[in-house]
Amino acid sequence: CAEAVTLYDTALEHCPDAALLHFNRAVALEDLERLRDALLAYDRCLTLDPRLGDALFNVARLLDHVGDKQKAIRHFSAYRRLQDK
């Protein structure tokens, strides 16, 4: 996963506005248990593409894990609204 993060960092130097690169980087950071960095990467992803449901779900799950229940509920709700459309 560390190698993947390095590769995503390099890719983001060339395509900084690619939401899916930020998403995939966040997943790799989660696997490395770098949860705060993962949340920042998901945040950037969602800034670029707020309709990326998998990112909303993963952020909600991580926020719940770190104890930020209110923000977790907000993200779970946003995820659910996307699924209902």
Side-chain angles (χ1 to χ4, degrees), residues 17-59:
D17 294 333
L20 286 177
L21 286 175
H22 289 281
F23 174 82
N24 290 331
R25 182 175 180 269
V27 171
L29 288 164
E30 272 193 78
D31 288 343
L32 292 170
E33 298 183 17
R34 293 174 50 189
L35 303 185
R36 293 197 190 285
D37 292 333
L39 283 168
L40 291 172
Y42 283 127
D43 183 58
R44 180 65 180 140
C45 169
L46 289 168
T47 297
L48 294 167
D49 186 356
R51 298 185 49 83
L52 192 58
D54 289 340
L56 284 167
F57 182 83
N58 288 358
V59 168

Side-chain angles (χ1 to χ4, degrees), residues 1-21:
C1 291
E3 185 177 346
V5 171
T6 300
L7 290 172
Y8 289 125
D9 287 342
T10 300
L12 286 166
E13 289 175 12
H14 301 282
C15 303
D17 294 333
L20 286 177
L21 286 175

Side-chain angles (χ1 to χ4, degrees), residues 57-76:
F57 182 83
N58 288 358
V59 168
R61 185 179 42 75
L62 278 180
L63 288 169
D64 184 56
H65 178 76
V66 299
D68 195 337
K69 306 296 184 191
Q70 186 174 10
K71 284 184 183 176
I73 290 169
R74 197 173 323 136
H75 282 80
F76 276 128

